[in-house]
Amino acid sequence: MSRTMLDKLWSAHEVRRGADGASLLWVDRHLVHEGSHHAFAALDGRGAEVAEPGLTFGVVDHYAPTRGRDTVADPAIRDMIARLEGNAARHGITLFGLRDPRQGIVHVLGPEQGLTLPGLLVTCGDSHTSTHGALGALAFGIGATQVAHVLATQTIWQAKPRAMRIRIDGRLGPAVTAKDVALHWIAKLGTGGAAGHAVEYAGTAVRALSMEGRMTLCNLSIEGGARFGMVTPDQVTFDYVKGRPFAPGVAAFDAAQADWAALASDAGAVFDRDVQIDAADIAPTVTWGTSPDQAAPITATVPSATDPGVRDALDYMGLQPGVPLDGIPVDQVFLGSCTNARIEDLRAAATLLRGRRAKVPGIVSPGSMPVRAQAEAEGLDRVFTEAGLEWVGSGCSMCVGMNGDIVAPGKRCASSTNRNFRGRQGRGARTHLMSPVMVAAAAVTGTLTDARPLLEGRE
């Protein structure tokens, strides 16, 4: 029988199946962060130990200060970080702490360090764990109770989702990125368009994406309702993984690569849902509302407010129907997050910013300290600072506003993050999601702007 990649990954990790049809799955990598302290407390309350400390990795990211890291000013954040450090030390868990040169956002750090590999099952108490599926891994976010269960047993109960394939064929146009692809399909299908499904991304446009682009695409899968997203491992994957600190060594790599290649869905495998998208139909895209599916090409106008949900979103965003998206003023920009803060993202933004000045303030927070070091070696930091933007350390930063980096009430932010929910970047904040190059365009014009004219002669 022909099998999908989901079928292969699921059966490889299924320990047993319950009477209700749910599967007990073995977890290969469990990633924890500052917010996981409730799960450790539950473990301590039962007098239990971490079942597989060698497969558990701690990361400081959500509350990580992007400035003043040597002396964390906020006592609550200082205590949160100290708690993770204590739990890691007590249970023998590898920790990528605040002062570790490898520190970064968990969904950037995992692939970067080679912790995430094709064929593995990766869990984390964070919804955007789906990012790791870009490498051909089974990866999904879990709740606090489930985090405790994984810590204690290295397993998790899950109901198998249905299989969905989204094929994007053709060639993406100028300044059209993986972020635009994701926002396009979410706007097309809605935030529940992939509900109950695991999405496998396929097609020539997906194959042409770098690993960074594939991670962006998988990162946003849950914004369309999917349980997680995946891309079949190929030569792009193998080249990315090879030589990373936790990846298989030279002697074992060829055998591993052969196993990874076999994960591809079989010819003739049947998906519960198949969606076809023409890459030529995708334009640089921005959100106008308070949900990722409330998005449109930058050349469009704010939609009419006939639907109550649209009307409420426009009221919150302070927008009027019929106004062109291109030209809407912004107060600030943010370039960062697990969605778009890898070296490729920073390079793209710097290409547009080089030699130009920003009209609005903004923060650039690289996805990890290794990304920050690489960007500085390439001189990208100087491009950002000379443009008038602030170059800071790695962390979730203004994506979720847990570390003090927030958007003020009523202010409008052009952001490379993954969610534009009300209050996501701060109480009353108005967030427009877009790609890094579109964030750069907004910085130099002070408005939502089509990046394509600004990139002419620069790419």
Side-chain angles (χ1 to χ4, degrees), residues 147-165:
V147 170
H149 188 278
V150 177
L151 287 174
T153 69
Q154 204 57 32
T155 62
I156 187 168
W157 284 100
Q158 288 284 291
K160 185 180 179 182
R162 297 185 295 279
M164 178 175 179
R165 179 168 55 191

Side-chain angles (χ1 to χ4, degrees), residues 242-324:
K242 194 169 188 177
R244 296 194 177 269
F246 288 87
V250 175
F253 195 85
D254 287 346
Q257 183 172 311
D259 288 342
W260 298 339
L263 293 172
S265 292
D266 297 331
V270 177
F271 290 81
D272 296 288
R273 189 175 182 194
D274 240 320
V275 175
Q276 306 280 335
I277 294 174
D278 187 342
D281 293 337
I282 307 173
T285 302
V286 299
T287 59
W288 49 262
T290 56
S291 175
D293 67 328
Q294 294 178 328
I298 186 62
T299 52
T301 59
V302 176
S304 61
T306 52
D307 179 90
V310 172
R311 188 161 54 247
D312 289 347
L314 294 184
D315 286 345
Y316 179 84
M317 293 296 291
L319 297 175
Q320 294 298 318
V323 173

Side-chain angles (χ1 to χ4, degrees), residues 83-429:
R83 216 174 306 168
L84 179 60
E85 291 171 343
N87 283 321
R90 185 161 61 255
H91 292 282
I93 294 169
T94 297
L95 174 66
F96 299 91
L98 194 59
R99 294 168 188 82
D100 191 314
R102 304 169 297 174
Q103 179 268 340
I105 304 172
V106 63
H107 309 313
V108 176
L109 182 152
E112 184 175 74
Q113 292 297 321
L115 292 171
T116 307
L117 299 170
L120 299 188
L121 193 157
V122 182
T123 60
C124 177
D126 182 90
S127 55
H128 291 103
T129 305
S130 177
T131 307
H132 305 258
L135 286 90
L138 195 62
F140 46 84
I142 57 179
T145 302
Q146 293 171 310
V147 170
H149 188 278
V150 177
L151 287 174
T153 69
Q154 204 57 32
T155 62
I156 187 168
W157 284 100
Q158 288 284 291
K160 185 180 179 182
R162 297 185 295 279
M164 178 175 179
R165 179 168 55 191
I166 298 180
R167 291 190 61 93
I168 304 105
D169 285 305
R171 186 174 179 178
L172 298 175
V176 178
T177 70
K179 182 67 160 285
D180 302 299
V181 173
L183 291 176
H184 177 87
W185 85 253
I186 295 168
K188 181 183 174 76
L189 302 182
T191 53
H197 292 79
V199 172
E200 180 180 325
Y201 295 101
T204 55
V206 173
R207 286 277 163 245
L209 292 175
S210 64
M211 277 310 307
E212 288 88 349
R214 296 176 187 188
M215 284 185 248
T216 295
L217 189 57
C218 287
N219 176 276
L220 285 153
S221 299
I222 59 163
E223 313 307 341
R227 186 68 183 93
F228 47 87
M230 301 176 290
V231 178
T232 299
D234 59 11
Q235 196 59 49
V236 173
T237 320
F238 309 147
D239 291 344
Y240 177 88
V241 168
K242 194 169 188 177
R244 296 194 177 269
F246 288 87
V250 175
F253 195 85
D254 287 346
Q257 183 172 311
D259 288 342
W260 298 339
L263 293 172
S265 292
D266 297 331
V270 177
F271 290 81
D272 296 288
R273 189 175 182 194
D274 240 320
V275 175
Q276 306 280 335
I277 294 174
D278 187 342
D281 293 337
I282 307 173
T285 302
V286 299
T287 59
W288 49 262
T290 56
S291 175
D293 67 328
Q294 294 178 328
I298 186 62
T299 52
T301 59
V302 176
S304 61
T306 52
D307 179 90
V310 172
R311 188 161 54 247
D312 289 347
L314 294 184
D315 286 345
Y316 179 84
M317 293 296 291
L319 297 175
Q320 294 298 318
V323 173
L325 290 172
D326 195 327
I328 292 174
V330 299
D331 299 294
Q332 63 196 97
V333 301
F334 176 65
L335 178 54
S337 83
C338 62
T339 311
N340 279 128
R342 297 173 181 84
I343 192 64
E344 176 183 280
D345 302 312
L346 301 184
R347 287 171 181 157
T351 297
L352 189 146
L353 281 167
R354 190 169 281 108
R356 290 174 168 145
R357 288 286 300 176
K359 290 187 177 179
V360 293
I363 294 174
V364 182
S365 177
S368 71
M369 294 309 280
V371 169
R372 189 176 197 266
Q374 185 174 354
E376 290 175 350
E378 295 178 15
L380 303 183
D381 60 318
R382 294 192 299 277
V383 174
F384 297 125
T385 56
E386 287 170 7
L389 302 179
E390 189 178 3
W391 177 248
V392 299
S394 172
C396 292
S397 186
M398 200 179 282
C399 176
V400 69
M402 289 180 173
N403 72 339
D405 293 345
I406 60 172
V407 177
K411 297 299 183 182
R412 195 179 301 281
C413 182
S415 182
S416 69
T417 53
N418 44 48
R419 286 182 175 162
N420 54 338
F421 301 158
R422 299 169 190 240
R424 170 77 173 182
Q425 291 191 295
R427 186 182 297 275

Side-chain angles (χ1 to χ4, degrees), residues 32-95:
V32 295
H33 51 78
E34 310 98 299
S36 305
H37 60 90
H38 299 294
F40 281 104
L43 204 67
D44 292 344
R46 296 200 297 266
E49 299 292 327
V50 173
E52 295 284 348
L55 302 181
T56 307
F57 299 86
V59 180
V60 175
D61 61 356
H62 279 60
Y63 293 86
T66 53
R67 312 166 191 78
R69 295 161 82 98
D70 292 334
T71 54
V72 180
D74 188 323
I77 292 178
R78 191 164 60 242
D79 290 348
M80 187 88 71
I81 294 171
R83 216 174 306 168
L84 179 60
E85 291 171 343
N87 283 321
R90 185 161 61 255
H91 292 282
I93 294 169
T94 297
L95 174 66

